[in-house]
């Protein structure tokens, strides 16, 4: 609970913590700017200056925007994949294994049911083109390489957009096969908790999975499980058997020989990745950086 009051030009901020109230005053500094002065110190109490609160709000807004963007991107990708599956095998999941698996995967990735049904319906419309998958390979800075996966109904547009995004940021499109041989195709299970390796191994054996690798996730407190692409759904079921219903599955390319770039090169490479992921036709981007 927070109360704000003022006494002439001095503002007081009362912050309620585990051990009571803390008074924080915001008084002018030597240059006329804000200076935070703590009037009472209590252990276990969080104290925030107005400047910090402004930055925190900006960070939250940026994070929310990025999360919303990823959600929209995920919904769009599954929509295109479902359209492609329906065109190839029909609109009934019971008679179209690819569509059945995609719907299951879409639900695990929190794609709304309405979006799934709209995509199935759109596949029968004459105005909806055929989607095809493709892969571009590129080089970044400091020995980094990129694998760019696209799903598009216009190959010329996808090619032009990818090459433009890479070129504008001083990357280089590579010849076909010159990058991919350094990667393995893997099934990837993302789990929002830290998994116990022994429990996971027992679950994998029970599910009939021959090989798997457990590593730390990109975010703290998460896990990633890699397996052979043919065992991806079995591995997902194994993770579900451990009570992790929110686990997500995808297929990806994993570098055989990761490289560590300098901080400057890493930032440049991530600018290329971000620019590519913003493109409508780009499904995903993988790289070999270990940073």
């Amino acid at each position: 609970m927070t109360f704000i009051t003022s006494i002439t030009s001095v503002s007081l901020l009362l912050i309620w913590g585990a051990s009571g109230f803390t008074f924080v005053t915001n008084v002018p500094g030597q240059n006329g700017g804000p200076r935070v002065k703590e009037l009472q110190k209590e252990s276990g109490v969080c104290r925030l200056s107005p400047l910090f609160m402004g930055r925190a709000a900006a960070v939250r807004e940026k994070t929310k925007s990025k999360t919303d963007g990823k959600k929209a991107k995920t919904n769009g990708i599954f929509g295109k994949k479902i359209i492609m599956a329906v065109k190839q095998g029909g609109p009934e999941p019971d008679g179209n294994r690819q569509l059945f698996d995609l719907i299951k995967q879409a639900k695990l990735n929190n794609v709304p049911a309405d979006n799934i049904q709209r995509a199935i319906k759109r596949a029968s419309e004459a105005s909806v083109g055929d989607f095809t998958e493709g892969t571009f390979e590129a080089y970044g800075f400091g020995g980094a390489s990129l694998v760019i996966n696209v799903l598009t109904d216009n190959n010329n547009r996808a090619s032009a957009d990818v090459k433009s995004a890479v070129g504008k940021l001083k990357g280089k499109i590579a010849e076909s096969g010159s990058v991919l041989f350094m990667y393995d195709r893997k099934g990837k299970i993302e789990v929002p908790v830290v998994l116990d390796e022994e429990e996971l191994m027992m679950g994998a054996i029970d599910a009939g999975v021959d090989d798997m690798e457990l590593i730390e996730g990109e975010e703290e407190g998460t896990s990633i499980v890699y397996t052979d692409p043919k065992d991806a759904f079995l591995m997902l079921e194994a993770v579900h058997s451990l009570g992790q219903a929110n686990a997500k599955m995808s297929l990806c390319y994993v570098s055989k020989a990761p490289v560590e770039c300098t901080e400057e090169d890493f930032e440049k490479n991530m600018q290329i990745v971000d620019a590519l992921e913003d493109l409508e036709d780009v499904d995903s981007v993988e790289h070999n950086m270990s940073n």
Side-chain angles (χ1 to χ4, degrees), residues 145-158:
S145 61
L146 306 173
V147 178
I148 306 150
N149 304 298
V150 300
L151 180 59
T152 181
D153 59 351
N154 188 321
N155 289 323
N156 291 333
R157 180 189 65 212

Side-chain angles (χ1 to χ4, degrees), residues 185-204:
R185 189 69 163 162
K186 295 281 188 179
K188 180 181 180 181
I189 316 298
E190 298 174 83
V191 191
V193 299
V194 177
L195 293 174
D196 180 272
E197 187 171 11
E198 187 172 341
E199 287 184 358
L200 180 64
M201 188 177 299
M202 294 303 298

